[in-house]
Amino acid sequence: MAAPAAAGIPDPVRAGLAGGWKVVDASRLERDLALETDVVIVGTGAGGGMAAEILANAGLAVVLVEEGPLQTSSDFRMRESDAYPALYQESAARKTRDKAINILQGRCVGGGTTVNWTSSFRTPGTTLRWWAAKHGLAGFGTADLAPWFEQVEARLSIAPWTVPPNANNAALAAGARAIGIPSGAIRRNVLGCWNIGYCGMGCPTNAKQSMLVTTIPAALQRGATLLTRARALQFEQEGDRVAALRCAAMAPDGVRPGPRRVTLRARAFVSAAGAIGTPALLLRSRVPDPHRLIGKRTFLHPVVVSVALMPGKVEAYSGAPQTIYSDHFLDTLPPDGPMGYKLEAPPIHPILGAITLPSHGQRHARWMEDLPRLQVLLALLRDGFHPDSAGGSVALAGDGTPVLDYPLTPYVWDGARRALASMAEIQFAAGARRVMPVHGEGEAYTRWSEAKEAIAAFDLKPLVTPVVSAHVMGGAPLGPDPARSVVDPSGRHHHLANLHVLDGSLFPTSIGANPQLSIYGIVARLATALAATLRKAPA
């Protein structure tokens, strides 16, 4: 497939580089590097990218630190074999310590916003009310956040998707309607979308309004510096402040640290490395943590999957990837009751399908042969509200890299079982010939009654029932009480005056929805306040 640039599609990032943007590929450094600035931001995803534009627009000097590479639309070839090693943590194979959960996270300029499927939901009111009642988080209600959501939605072209859904998503709507439950359309952050369906491999047309093509270019245009292929190692502390950030320049392969080091000094430091990366950085830095909260209550939306063979072509790899959802099984359950779940229809490309479908040999091969006719549903399990859903914890491996422990409790498995049954019922109602709840050896069923009985008897357990997730939250939550939170409601660390957390680590629980818009809105509010504070303070 020809590169988009060859087809005449402009690449604004390459144009900016040619125009003099300050971008340093640390893997090419010939000597150690030291910089001084107003603000250092670790991470360029939803949190870091949003903060960078706001702080740069306030006239502050900003340095962005990104462990992954800078790749642009000219590099995005719609091939999984290119995208996963280049754009994802651990080549899209990051796993929990016990290998039971596969975690998809971005590792490139733009982070997860470069490779996500554009699904945009405001933080559910149920979640915000829970944070207020159970975590003492005042001032973060639906009305409080509405102006910030409106602001970022306008900035990032988040709007209803009016194009008819592809067959994969249409089946979710049809099946939900047939069994009498509501569904709705998902808003997307796109502008001039070509409806290709390869969002997870980087948008080749720059239609996805990710940080890569919106806020980071805006910050660079205002004079910010972008440091790529640089791993943030440790904050150096002096008294109650961070004095510097030490980074390792990565080797040219982008995987191993190289010999060069980077030292960044600033008035303020922002950790926006994601809800695994931020806790790991704080742990490596040994920042004050008297109540041992850092990395604890780290939440995923554990995801289980159901695959259906439809009578005609579905081609779930084509067209906007996620455009229909159902919150019926969230809205009808109290947050501290049985685990609720959100239903969506994900895309299924060949490699993603091959590693998700269970079994092996001829049985696996037959399902892969039927890829054009496969319809797929997933259930995002809402974790963190019930005493039996305390999430996981981030710790450090011997080399200082992060490891996530995430026990799958009976409470979680009960939610997974109900979710598998719900998805199978919807798929049969949508006309499926066979349904395979992704579990065990991959048995398929030809009738809803047969599937229902089998799912009720499944022996759900780690490594037998595949679980995946693309949403990581918590681990450095915000709140007013230092005994229960890592940062205060402004995002500032409770014990370090110039260290801030501005990413999904802030969430006290999972949110029960795709988190990118929640991160955008909350970070926009906190970063705007931080910019005002820094502008008033003496340099």
Side-chain angles (χ1 to χ4, degrees):
M1 183 173 296
I9 297 172
D11 185 335
V13 176
R14 289 201 176 182
L17 292 172
W21 285 353
K22 291 183 285 188
V23 178
V24 177
D25 181 346
S27 71
R28 297 176 179 270
L29 289 175
E30 296 181 355
R31 60 182 62 86
D32 291 351
L33 176 67
L35 297 173
E36 291 194 18
T37 188
D38 289 323
V39 187
V40 168
I41 301 174
V42 181
T44 61
M50 182 58 62
E53 179 179 42
I54 291 168
L55 294 166
N57 281 346
L60 297 163
V62 174
V63 173
L64 286 149
V65 179
E66 171 56 54
E67 183 175 321
L70 172 59
Q71 291 208 339
T72 72
S73 57
S74 299
D75 303 300
F76 301 150
R77 308 299 181 90
M78 298 165 57
R79 290 197 294 252
E80 292 175 279
S81 57
D82 293 337
Y84 297 156
L87 305 177
Y88 286 78
Q89 287 284 359
E90 300 175 37
S91 299
R94 170 167 274 183
K95 289 178 170 57
T96 50
R97 187 184 294 274
D98 63 359
K99 315 300 183 190
I101 306 176
N102 195 63
I103 302 170
L104 297 174
Q105 283 188 295
R107 182 177 176 268
C108 55
V109 174
T113 74
T114 298
V115 295
N116 69 21
W117 299 334
T118 77
S119 302
S120 301
F121 295 90
R122 294 188 183 187
T123 317
T126 300
T127 299
L128 296 175
R129 289 189 291 273
W130 184 268
W131 290 356
K134 303 297 183 180
H135 295 273
L137 195 56
F140 284 78
T142 300
D144 301 306
L145 293 177
W148 299 100
F149 285 136
E150 291 168 5
Q151 175 181 310
V152 299
E153 287 163 355
R155 174 68 180 94
L156 302 174
S157 301
I158 294 172
W161 177 246
T162 58
V163 176
N166 65 8
N168 192 44
N169 283 270
L172 170 55
R177 185 167 55 249
I179 69 170
I181 67 171
S183 65
I186 299 175
R187 294 187 303 160
R188 308 181 64 221
N189 62 312
V190 294
L191 185 63
C193 178
W194 288 30
N195 203 29
I196 295 172
Y198 283 74
C199 304
M201 280 140 260
C203 180
T205 68
N206 294 311
K208 185 197 301 187
Q209 298 299 283
S210 67
M211 303 295 93
L212 175 65
V213 299
T214 57
T215 63
I216 292 173
L220 291 170
Q221 199 65 32
R222 291 297 300 265
T225 298
L226 172 62
L227 185 63
T228 68
R229 294 193 185 276
R231 175 177 292 173
L233 295 178
Q234 187 176 14
F235 291 119
E236 294 181 350
Q237 301 160 62
E238 292 180 1
D240 70 344
R241 300 181 66 82
V242 173
L245 173 69
R246 290 195 300 107
C247 305
M250 302 301 286
D253 63 9
V255 177
R256 299 170 292 105
R260 302 301 176 200
R261 292 294 179 264
V262 177
T263 301
L264 303 173
R265 298 187 178 276
R267 296 164 56 199
F269 295 83
V270 171
S271 186
I276 291 177
T278 282
L281 175 57
L282 300 183
L283 289 169
R284 283 195 300 271
S285 304
R286 299 184 179 181
V287 302
D289 186 20
H291 301 284
R292 298 184 179 275
L293 299 174
I294 294 172
K296 303 298 191 295
R297 289 184 62 80
T298 298
F299 292 103
L300 305 173
H301 287 138
V303 167
V304 289
V305 177
S306 187
V307 178
L309 181 67
M310 304 302 283
K313 282 191 175 181
V314 175
E315 297 179 336
Y317 39 78
S318 179
Q322 275 186 175
T323 57
I324 300 294
Y325 75 101
S326 176
D327 277 350
H328 175 75
F329 301 101
L330 287 176
D331 295 342
T332 57
L333 292 170
D336 57 348
M339 180 172 269
Y341 43 92
K342 185 185 198 79
L343 299 182
E344 296 175 341
I348 179 168
H349 296 91
I351 293 177
L352 189 61
I355 64 175
T356 302
L357 292 170
S359 193
H360 55 275
Q362 288 300 314
R363 180 183 291 180
H364 188 277
R366 282 194 294 271
W367 280 100
M368 290 302 297
E369 288 171 0
D370 284 325
L371 187 71
R373 294 171 60 199
L374 297 188
Q375 194 276 335
V376 185
L377 293 180
L378 62 75
L380 299 170
L381 299 167
R382 179 178 60 190
D383 209 354
F385 295 79
H386 190 277
D388 293 334
S389 62
S393 60
V394 174
L396 298 177
D399 63 355
T401 57
V403 179
L404 176 63
D405 280 310
Y406 210 91
L408 293 168
T409 65
Y411 176 83
V412 176
W413 287 127
D414 173 71
R417 189 183 307 277
R418 287 181 288 103
L420 291 170
S422 299
M423 291 188 288
E425 182 179 13
I426 288 169
Q427 288 170 318
F428 278 116
R433 296 283 178 83
R434 286 188 289 150
V435 171
M436 178 178 60
V438 176
H439 165 77
E441 285 299 305
E443 295 296 331
Y445 309 97
T446 57
R447 299 187 308 278
W448 159 231
S449 58
E450 180 186 19
K452 182 179 180 181
E453 182 178 356
I455 292 168
F458 278 172
D459 182 15
L460 301 178
K461 56 186 178 182
L463 303 177
V464 174
T465 309
V467 179
V468 299
S469 186
H471 305 157
V472 192
M473 298 149 283
L478 79 170
D481 183 358
R484 299 183 62 199
S485 57
V486 173
V487 300
D488 69 19
S490 75
R492 191 191 72 139
H493 191 275
H494 278 298
H495 307 286
L496 292 170
N498 65 337
L499 175 60
H500 300 258
V501 172
L502 297 179
D503 61 15
S505 306
L506 296 168
F507 300 164
T509 64
S510 77
I511 64 169
N514 307 62
Q516 74 159 349
L517 179 51
S518 293
I519 298 171
Y520 290 147
I522 291 172
V523 167
R525 171 178 164 174
L526 302 184
T528 299
L530 174 59
T533 299
L534 291 174
R535 289 187 67 183
K536 291 177 184 176

